[in-house]
Amino acid sequence: MNQRTLTVVAVLLLLACALPFLVSNYRTFQFTLVLVYAIALLGLNILTGYNGQISLGHGAFYAIGAYTAAILMDRFGVPYWATLPVAGAVCLAVGFLFGLPALRLEGLYLALATFALGVSMPQLLKYHHFEKWTGGVQGIVITKPDPPFGLPLNPDQWLYYFTLAVMVLMFVLAWNLLRGRVGRAMVAIRDHHIAAEAMGINTAMVKSLTFGVSAFYTGVAGALGAIAIQFVAPDSFNIFLSIVFLVGIAIGGLASIPGAIYGALFIQFVPNIADEISKAAPWAVFGIFMIGFVYVMPLGVNGAIRMLLARLGRKAQNNRSTAGVTRPTINSPEEV
Amino acid sequence: MQPVNETRPRPGCSGPKGLLRVEAVSVHFGGIVALDAVSFSVESGQIAGLIGPNGAGKTTLFNCLSRLYEASEGSIEFDGHSLRETPRHGIAALGIGRTFQNLALFHTMTVFDNILVGRHCRTRSGFLASALSMPSVRREEDAARTRARELVSFLQLDSVADRPVAALPFGTQKRVELGRALAADPKLLLLDEPASGLNHEEVGALGALIREIRDRLALTILLVEHHMSLVMSVSDRVVALNFGRKIAEGTPAEVQRLPEVIQAYLGSAH
Ligand SMILES: Nc1ncnc2c1ncn2[C@@H]1O[C@H](COP(=O)(O)OP(=O)(O)OP(=O)(O)O)[C@@H](O)[C@H]1O
Ligand SMILES: [Mg+2]
């Protein structure tokens, strides 16, 4: 990370820290959800954006994370913060195991398999033999954690800071992972899996582990989401959630870390805005927003921002070209 | 036949019997016999040319060496290892590097990152260590970057190192592929038509580059090429295939004179 990026990140973090004192409790709660979604979207983006494996069922991992947290808190009295690693580990294992057979599936067929997972999750959660833990259709109500050490914060503010800390940690880990050997292997598999294998990349292992890591992120997000909303029920994790996650990474920017945050802002606030514009057909308005975003920013918000920065940079120093933002074209016989 | 570089020390090679031994390898695609009991060997330090008209089975042979295709019969031994027992992703670590006839770059990545991926089999950092950015990971990454930078300047790719490869001209992309293969420190380098798409001058420079790579990096090269003057000038030995069968083997001068070879080329589109 260069000096300028570091400065921008530091300023944004300061702003994020100031936020609960600038807006209402309800807005703070909404921004907590933005942070939660950002973690979930980063998870999906690692899988789909970086590794090229499409998932139409990530809502299922979000649900597993949420229920793990809720059950641990409600039935076993586990403190809320301790549920996160457990939720993550459960999803890591489930994701890895799901990723193994999914190795045989490419593109659309993988999409179908993950769709099946996503679409069956609410029913699994309602399954009456699990009712003892899951609470069946009723779901589980959990209590909102109080701020520790007598901190002068209300529960909404505390949960916001807690979530922010987890998010920052998860983003740093992802950044480390993606910028090095493993991240390059993921992208290499997406770009050309045969060449990747010829370079010595164990594509089967990397793809399954990537599935696991992706589910881990989305599972931790699910746990945080359950704690923030204080409630889990099967129908909040229907297939629509999975699709919305996919919308989030496409709008935010595929294969980009900050894109997860832009996407999270979009999926949290645009439905509200759409609802205010038209009570009758909010999803039609949402759709118009979505098409508008994709039309104006075909590479996602992240791509648009980078393009803008590159253009400003070029204006600033005309002799040095800043590459890396244009959509790659095949063998255009220009330059050098 | 004297291997040119017999005296050069070659750590880890299997001795005078040859670095690569292909024995009676056959490959079938449905009714097509792409390779028919092909045998030959390559001594370490050699540049061996593999020629033959279109469809002769040259790329198929490379794909057997990369384990992309499974030979229905025969065996391939490399540096004391049987390739049949090596998984596809283990080939690079054994020391076989390659380029592809129709480019197989990671098109969204930069030139530099493509070359870094070539280093994958010589590095170890896993998921957890990478996420935690352990000191060992950082050391390894620094070393890999240093090596990649050396290759970038060796192949004169400095000016495009940070560009995504997809936007570069064909000839430049071919050099990136070469750099990516070299990043794995191969013992044997497989080049599949490196001269295709290059102009006359570039072909001349490529010949010199191939020899320089062999000499400076002390490796063995198996070269598939239609460009006869190039193969004949750089190769120590030449193997000729036609319709999946080996029709000739020997020094460039010998092979060029053989009537079977002349016939094969006259009889085809060339
Ligand atoms: N995957 C495949 N499936 C079916 N047939 C194949 C396959 N790969 C190669 N072949 C066939 O095997 C034969 C040898 O092809 P190969 O690509 O090895 O030829 P080549 O010597 O590399 O030719 P060129 O000089 O044109 O590259 C051809 O008849 C080809 O059609
Ligand atoms: Mg070929």
Side-chain angles (χ1 to χ4, degrees), chain B residues 53-60 101-102 192-193 224 226:
Chain B
N54 291 110
K58 307 177 295 293
T59 300
T60 302
Q101 184 172 347
N102 300 310
D192 200 344
E193 303 199 13
V224 165
H226 283 301

Side-chain angles (χ1 to χ4, degrees), chain B residues 27-30 32-35 51-63 69 101-102 192-193 224 226 241 244 270:
Chain B
V27 174
H28 303 259
F29 294 109
I32 301 173
V33 183
L35 286 177
I51 60 168
N54 291 110
K58 307 177 295 293
T59 300
T60 302
L61 183 79
F62 271 21
N63 286 343
Y69 292 168
Q101 184 172 347
N102 300 310
D192 200 344
E193 303 199 13
V224 165
H226 283 301
L241 299 179
H270 282 256

Side-chain angles (χ1 to χ4, degrees), chain A residues 21-37:
Chain A
F21 296 103
L22 304 175
V23 299
S24 69
N25 272 345
Y26 183 65
R27 280 263 180 267
T28 302
F29 163 74
Q30 285 184 319
F31 275 106
T32 305
L33 287 183
V34 169
L35 303 175
V36 168
Y37 290 146

